[in-house]
Every structure is written in structure tokens, then in C-alpha cells.
Amino acid sequence: MDIIDEQLKRLTSYGSWEIIAKDNKTTYMASDGPHGLRFVTSEENGYQTDEPSFAYPTLSFLANTWDLNLIKQIGNAIAEDCIKHNVSMILGPGVNIKRTPLCGRNFEYFSEDPYLSGMMGQAYINGVQEKNVGACLKHFAVNNREYDRFYQSSEVDERTLKEIYLKPFEIALKAAPYAVMCAYNPVNGILSSENEYLLKQVLRNEFSYEGLVISDWGSVRDRAKSLKAGIDVAFPYNDAFYNQLKKGLECNYITKQEVNESLLHIDQFIEKIKKVENNIVINHQELCEKAVEDGIVLLKNEAILPLNNNPQKILLVGEFLNNPIISGGGSSKVTPNNKVEDLMSCLKKDGLKSDMEYVLGYMIRYGLPTPFGYKIALEKASNSDMVIVGVGNTMLEEKEETDRTSIKLNPVFIDLIKKLATYNKKVIVVLYCGSAIDVSDFVDDVQAIILAGYAGQGVNVGLSKVLLGLTSPSGRLAESWAMKLEDTYTNNQVGNSFIEHYSDHVFVGYRYYTSNNIKTRYPFGYGLSYINVRYNSLKIVNENDNYHVFVEVENLSNIQGKEVIQLYINDVVSSVSRPIRELKKFTKILLKANEKKTVEFIITKDDLKYYHPSLHRWYLEDGDYNVLICKDAENVVLSEKITICEDYYSQYSKY
């Protein structure tokens, strides 16, 4: 075999998971993430067996923490799991935007907001690569639903593409991920794996990315076309790929220079991952549990939480409380290496001395709930002081390759909650799910709703501490929860099988709801707490066109807790349509009992720009901007105006 043949073979993976080194013998393993290591040990007849590993909270849950330092720690821990199994690259994080709550893979993504998604992705990558394991940023780009994802094109105008769907990648790329993975779907009519505009003009030129670009598994139709577009390694191995590359070379469709550029990216990738050192220093189980405490979102609380230790009888209902769903289905599913503890055991361990009893209420059969012992549950509910019921979505409902058809819970769960509420006035609902839920069928019947999410193998350990008030809930929603599916812009529409036209433009998620005065059930950024935080003052100081924003907050409670401070920008008068507010900065702080703190943000001119569709670049328009400090996307607590005066000749005439 001559040297060019050996080179061409390196442009496709060895088997399903491995990148081939220069000697054509040594290989380096990639494995699924992003919620932990899915290390496949064998494949037979299309079925894969994976080795148990630490199952961390899903990205959807981690985003609810709004804690970049925690996300980085999770990245560190996942890297250590990779090192233990000689895995060189974890396939994550995914920073795709949650345009519709129906997307089956939303649990794998951070948020509907590009800034929050990008910052979370950046922290995750920094954490993984701090230990010289590669992170792989995905799915590039505009993969926002699973419906016919291999064929239906995402049709997006240039401004929307740059402001919403590419912005999280642009931000996350500042962490210099070792690899970027293309998406399955066509974008504006061209497959992501063959899209030179995305992979070369945007990724390489505009975003200055110098690392490895790989395909998603099975996304390459023609290897020569994908190489031409910028795919360095195609996964998984396919017999046809070598011949396609050979033919492309022979007819001068691809050049030796293009082959050499991809080989250089592969070799540079391998040099980075060779620096791995086997130093395991993190208590992984403890981190799994700590993350849960930070990400649980208290959605409703009518003075029933936290639980107290007064003599009372508590009934726990539902298989999810005993055997919770901790992740959605598909390639990101991790088999936990520790048994997921049941909630009752956790509550007892944490000191709850109430008389507790557990009943099944329903069973998960063939992946879906079916009533099982309603009568027992209702009888015991009528003789209890309080009921905690666990419900949610199974891995058949939130999974890769298919979307949900509704944001309501399975009717079995709705029926059970409503029946329990007729027999007991103190019902607490715990939701185990990875995406937004329509709670309208039961929200008025229960006293509390708590989002446990898909929180990995430590879910009930952390949940117990929040229920008991050992930790004040500090999770905030990273996506809007609409009143009903019909209130979302996309509703139940999925395109016409040829294209999906993104006619909502930049008005995605809370940008759509707030700009159109549509009330949500629970806004983006929303979450209740056991502490009472007062926002005292907002002060802005301009230093050389950097706006230093000082926010003083005060904990008025006798217990400590964490608060997420959110800063949004409103362009008062713009030449183009802009959302009424856009998240630009955030931070999460710990406030001790009765403590005051001042938080500083720095707003630059770049934070105020929009992408100008006529100029094909980011543009700063002078005028007034409101700096908004918010509890969530719908509730402004403090506001201050700044005025931008740019050079006269940098501006286009408005009048």
C-alpha cells in the first residue's frame, strides 16, 4: 500500500470509535457523552453493551444551576472517567438551541438562550480539557429537533443564524475544543457534513477554529464531498469511504493539499491528547449529588416546603421515587455505576423522623406508565397528612431520533395526581423530566411542584436535602415553560418534510414571549427559594466604554442560600426588530443569613451589537439602552439607562 492510500484510510475512523495515528496502527478512542462516559465494550447485531460509569445530571439539568464553576468541575470529573478507560475524547457538549420544547434531544442541550448555552459549553470544555482529554463541541449546526433530522433542511436567514444558532458555538469555541462535530441535518439546503459555508467560512475563518472537525455518526453521504467541505474524520468506518476519496483525488475534485490539511488536524489532535496524566482526584459520587442540590428548581410552593419534623404521616407514591428516570434515551444514556437511591431512604438518612410509607401507584411497563394500585394509593392518601408523588417522562418520550408530540405528562400521571389531590389537600409533585412540561391540568390542585429533572445517579440524594431545607433551592429554568403547547411559536408544526422555515427569526424562547406579551407558566430564569432576597440598588460607571454595573443584593432571611442574578439588555429604539430583552450576563452567588453583597458585571459595546443583515457584520447602533436586572425574563427588578454615542461616520442615517 503506498503512502497516499495509508493517508486516505486515516480520514475515516477505525471501527466505530477510533481515530488512526500516523503509524496506521495506533488508535485513539472517542466515546459518547455528554452526561458521563458511555463506554461501549461490545457491539453485536446493532446492539451495544456499555460499561457502567458515573451518570451525571444531563446538560438540561446542569443549565438550571447557572453555575459555571460547577459545570467546569463536572467536565473535570468526566475527563477523569475517560482517563480511567483510556478514552481520549468525550463527545460533548451539545450547545444547540431549544427552539421547540418538543425536541426529543432537548435534555442533551443547555438552553433556549445562546449566551447561557455558550457560556455553559465553554465551562464544560475547559473542565474536560484541563486534564488533556478532548471535548467535542456539537452539533454544528441548527439541529433543533429530531424529526427527520437526516433529510429535512433547517432554513434560516443570515441574521438569525448568527445571533441565535451560531452564537453559542462562537462563545464555546473560546475554550478551543479539541474537536467540533457536524450535525445531521441540511442547513439552507446543504448537508451539514458538506456545508462549506458553515465548516470553512464560519467555523474556520470567522470563528478562527484550528482544531479537528469530525462527522456525527452516519452523517456523511459522500466522503470526498465531506472532505472538501472540511470534515477531517468521518465516523463510523464505512467500506465505501476509501473509494470515494480515491475517486475524488483522481478526478481532481479534492486535492492533496486538502488531504494534508485534514491529516495535520488529526496529528495536532493526537499531540494534545498524548499529554494525559492518570491523576484521579475528584470524589465523583459526591459531585453528582452536589450538582443536584444546585440545579433543582422549585416551581410552586404554598408554604408546604421545606418539610418539617413535626409528627406527621407522609405517603410517597410512584415508581419514579424508587427507581427514577435519570436521563433521556439514545446515545447519551449512561449506565450508572452506583445504585440510584430511593427517596424514602434518602429522607430517613437526612433525619426526617416522620412516619413514611411508600406505595407504587403505577408501574413502568414496556417503557410507559400503567395504573397499578390506584385504590391503595388513594386510600392511604386519605389517611396521610401529606403526599409526595413522583412522575415524569420515560426514555421512550424524551430520546434521540424522535420528538415528543405533546408537552403534557402521560394521562396516567395526570389522572393519578388529580385523584390524589381529591383525597389529600397537601400534595407535592416531583417531576423527573428533561424538558418543559405543561402543568395546567394539575397546577391548581397541588401545593408544591419541584423539578428534579434528569439529574443523574445522585438525584434523590440531592432532592432529599432540598425537600428538607438542608439546602435552599437555587435552580433557575434555562428554558421557558409555556402555559400550553399552542402558546409556543412552533406549536406542533414540524416543517413540510423538505424544509423547516425558521420564520420566528431571532424571537426564540423568552425573546418571543416577552416581545409579544405572552405570559408563560414559568419564565426563563424562574425559580423559587427558601430565602428572601432583596435587590437594593443598581449603579453603572462608564470607564473607557466599558460599563461597570454594580448590583447590591441582600438576604433578608435567617438561613443561607444562593441567588442567580440576571442582567438583560433592551435596545430602546432600533433600526431593526430586536427582542424586548436579551440575557447578556449572569452570576450565581452564595448569600449567608442576613448578608449583603455587591455584584459587578462589565458590559462592553460588543454586548449591545446586533448582526446587520445588509452589512453582513455585527453593528453597534448609537442611542439609548436599558440595563435590566431581572429575577427572570418576565420580572424586572432594577433598571438603568445608558447612552451610546458612536462616531458620526460609523452610523447609517435613521431619519
Side-chain angles (χ1 to χ4, degrees):
M1 185 181 295
D2 62 29
I3 190 165
I4 190 63
D5 288 333
E6 291 180 352
Q7 290 175 333
L8 294 182
K9 286 187 178 297
R10 294 185 64 207
L11 302 178
T12 300
S13 67
Y14 177 79
S16 294
W17 304 100
E18 295 168 75
I19 293 172
I20 305 169
K22 193 177 290 187
D23 63 8
N24 277 90
K25 295 176 183 177
T26 311
T27 59
Y28 295 87
M29 176 78 71
S31 278
D32 277 321
H35 319 306
L37 177 64
R38 189 177 79 96
F39 185 67
V40 175
T41 55
S42 64
E43 298 183 57
E44 191 172 348
N45 299 324
Y47 292 94
Q48 297 177 332
T49 303
D50 55 279
E51 187 171 312
S53 187
F54 285 97
Y56 302 93
T58 61
L59 297 193
S60 62
F61 183 92
L62 291 176
N64 292 340
T65 70
W66 292 63
D67 188 334
L68 298 179
N69 185 55
L70 175 65
I71 307 302
K72 184 180 177 183
Q73 290 179 57
I74 295 286
N76 278 170
I78 290 173
E80 290 189 352
D81 296 336
C82 290
I83 293 167
K84 180 181 174 183
H85 289 88
N86 200 30
V87 168
S88 300
M89 178 167 65
I90 192 79
L91 301 175
V95 295
N96 296 86
I97 293 295
K98 300 181 184 183
R99 179 173 177 254
T100 166
L102 294 178
C103 176
R105 217 168 177 179
N106 273 355
F107 71 92
E108 284 194 54
Y109 303 139
F110 288 113
S111 179
E112 66 189 33
D113 180 77
Y115 178 70
L116 181 59
S117 296
M119 293 302 292
M120 292 276 171
Q122 188 182 118
Y124 182 106
I125 293 163
N126 281 331
V128 171
Q129 295 186 173
E130 195 169 66
K131 294 183 176 286
N132 295 313
V133 171
C136 181
L137 183 64
K138 63 183 187 181
H139 303 93
F140 196 75
V142 206
N143 183 184
N144 309 110
R145 68 163 81 245
E146 293 297 282
Y147 176 84
D148 209 9
R149 61 182 181 174
F150 281 88
Y151 297 98
Q152 181 167 265
S153 177
S154 300
E155 192 170 270
V156 195
D157 68 90
E158 185 181 9
R159 180 184 166 208
T160 302
L161 193 61
K162 293 295 178 68
E163 286 193 22
I164 303 296
Y165 298 102
L166 293 179
K167 178 55 74 171
F169 289 95
E170 182 180 8
I171 295 169
L173 282 165
K174 288 180 169 58
Y178 290 1
V180 170
M181 181 194 294
C182 77
Y184 284 123
N185 52 286
V187 177
N188 291 330
I190 299 176
L191 284 169
S192 293
S193 63
E194 298 179 8
N195 200 311
E196 286 192 59
Y197 171 74
L198 287 177
L199 298 178
K200 286 189 173 177
Q201 183 172 325
V202 175
L203 183 61
R204 293 291 189 196
N205 297 336
E206 293 180 25
F207 295 168
S208 302
Y209 179 65
E210 297 178 347
L212 185 71
V213 177
I214 69 171
S215 76
D216 203 343
W217 270 237
S219 66
V220 169
R221 307 296 212 286
D222 184 282
R223 186 64 192 100
K225 291 179 181 179
S226 68
L227 181 79
K228 188 79 175 175
I231 299 291
D232 298 316
V233 181
F235 286 90
Y237 175 79
N238 185 318
D239 283 335
F241 286 171
Y242 169 78
N243 289 330
Q244 290 168 354
L245 289 169
K246 190 80 169 171
K247 181 180 177 182
L249 260 181
E250 289 170 352
C251 69
N252 296 318
Y253 175 72
I254 57 175
T255 66
K256 285 187 178 179
Q257 181 181 341
E258 288 167 332
V259 170
N260 288 334
E261 284 174 357
S262 285
L263 291 171
L264 177 63
H265 297 146
I266 295 169
D267 293 337
Q268 289 172 336
F269 168 82
I270 290 171
E271 284 305 307
K272 293 171 188 172
I273 58 178
K274 279 181 178 178
K275 299 174 184 175
V276 166
E277 295 179 7
N278 195 355
N279 55 337
I280 308 299
V281 297
I282 295 169
N283 185 324
H284 294 236
Q285 181 64 29
E286 189 178 279
L287 183 59
C288 286
E289 295 164 5
K290 178 183 180 295
V292 178
E293 293 180 56
D294 263 24
I296 280 178
V297 185
L298 183 58
L299 298 173
K300 178 179 181 178
N301 186 23
E302 293 183 350
I304 193 173
L305 291 174
L307 302 176
N308 58 51
N309 250 326
N310 296 333
Q312 57 183 332
K313 188 174 182 180
I314 300 176
L315 180 68
L316 287 82
V317 181
E319 188 176 348
F320 277 24
L321 297 183
N322 256 24
N323 185 26
I325 304 296
I326 62 172
S327 173
S331 60
S332 68
K333 178 183 172 291
V334 177
T335 302
N337 60 4
N338 286 335
K339 185 180 185 300
V340 182
E341 295 187 55
D342 66 273
L343 182 60
M344 185 187 293
S345 297
C346 295
L347 290 169
K348 287 179 178 177
K349 213 171 2 179
D350 285 331
L352 184 62
K353 295 179 173 55
S354 300
D355 179 16
M356 288 184 285
E357 186 175 4
Y358 168 79
V359 296
L360 197 59
Y362 61 84
M363 291 181 69
I364 303 297
R365 300 294 299 275
Y366 310 109
L368 293 170
T370 183
F372 192 90
Y374 270 24
K375 179 181 178 182
I376 299 170
L378 298 177
E379 285 178 352
K380 290 185 180 295
S382 67
N383 294 310
S384 300
D385 298 308
M386 179 187 304
V387 177
I388 301 175
V389 55
V391 295
N393 288 332
T394 71
M395 283 188 286
L396 287 184
E397 292 160 308
E398 295 197 52
K399 65 184 290 288
E400 186 177 356
E401 295 181 338
T402 186
D403 292 326
R404 291 193 289 169
T405 57
S406 170
I407 60 172
K408 286 180 178 282
L409 287 174
N410 189 291
V412 169
F413 291 142
I414 295 171
D415 184 45
L416 175 60
I417 294 168
K418 293 184 75 66
K419 283 189 168 78
L420 287 168
T422 63
Y423 283 80
N424 193 303
K425 298 305 177 189
K426 293 185 176 181
V427 175
I428 299 168
V429 175
V430 179
L431 296 173
Y432 297 85
C433 56
S435 193
I437 297 290
D438 175 356
V439 299
S440 56
D441 287 312
F442 56 87
V443 64
D444 295 327
D445 301 317
V446 302
Q447 284 203 301
I449 302 174
I450 191 163
L451 174 62
Y454 285 157
Q457 65 191 54
V459 56
N460 282 338
V461 177
L463 174 61
S464 171
K465 288 177 171 53
V466 172
L467 288 171
L468 294 175
L470 301 174
T471 298
S472 177
S474 62
R476 302 292 182 263
L477 292 178
E479 62 179 313
S480 308
W481 283 33
M483 292 281 190
K484 56 187 183 298
L485 182 61
E486 290 75 14
D487 286 348
T488 69
Y489 182 86
T490 52
N491 198 342
N492 61 357
Q493 302 302 307
V494 294
N496 64 9
S497 296
F498 295 93
I499 62 146
E500 180 173 15
H501 181 49
Y502 283 44
S503 56
D504 43 347
H505 303 295
V506 298
F507 296 92
V508 178
Y510 71 86
R511 288 166 165 79
Y512 169 68
Y513 299 118
T514 55
S515 299
N516 291 281
N517 201 27
I518 300 171
K519 293 292 289 181
T520 58
R521 177 71 66 187
Y522 302 120
F524 172 84
Y526 171 87
L528 301 176
S529 176
Y530 299 151
I531 64 171
N532 180 20
V533 176
R534 182 171 68 195
Y535 286 68
N536 290 332
S537 63
L538 168 63
K539 179 183 176 183
I540 303 176
V541 177
N542 182 6
E543 292 184 5
N544 300 318
D545 290 334
N546 286 330
Y547 293 85
H548 295 255
V549 180
F550 300 93
V551 185
E552 184 187 87
V553 293
E554 182 178 3
N555 181 5
L556 303 177
S557 308
N558 293 321
I559 61 169
Q560 73 172 20
K562 293 179 180 179
E563 177 75 356
V564 176
I565 301 163
Q566 305 166 40
L567 185 154
Y568 297 74
I569 291 293
N570 159 243
D571 187 350
V572 177
V573 178
S574 176
S575 297
V576 298
S577 56
R578 297 189 74 173
I580 197 169
R581 64 188 62 110
E582 299 174 86
L583 181 73
K584 293 297 178 181
K585 303 290 175 183
F586 65 88
T587 190
K588 188 171 195 174
I589 60 170
L590 175 67
L591 290 168
K592 295 176 182 175
N594 303 302
E595 183 182 18
K596 283 183 185 177
K597 267 188 182 176
T598 297
V599 169
E600 180 183 4
F601 299 108
I602 298 177
I603 295 292
T604 69
K605 287 186 175 182
D606 282 346
D607 295 317
L608 308 177
K609 293 178 179 179
Y610 64 85
Y611 189 85
H612 202 299
S614 295
L615 302 176
H616 306 291
R617 62 174 172 83
W618 293 90
Y619 175 66
L620 176 62
E621 189 170 44
D622 62 11
D624 293 333
Y625 294 82
N626 289 320
V627 177
L628 311 171
I629 304 300
C630 299
K631 289 288 284 185
D632 56 60
E634 293 180 8
N635 293 287
V636 179
V637 289
L638 296 170
S639 176
E640 192 72 42
K641 188 178 291 183
I642 60 175
T643 300
I644 301 297
C645 297
E646 288 293 275
D647 174 75
Y648 175 80
Y649 290 104
S650 75
Q651 298 293 296
Y652 289 82
S653 299
K654 298 181 186 178
Y655 311 110

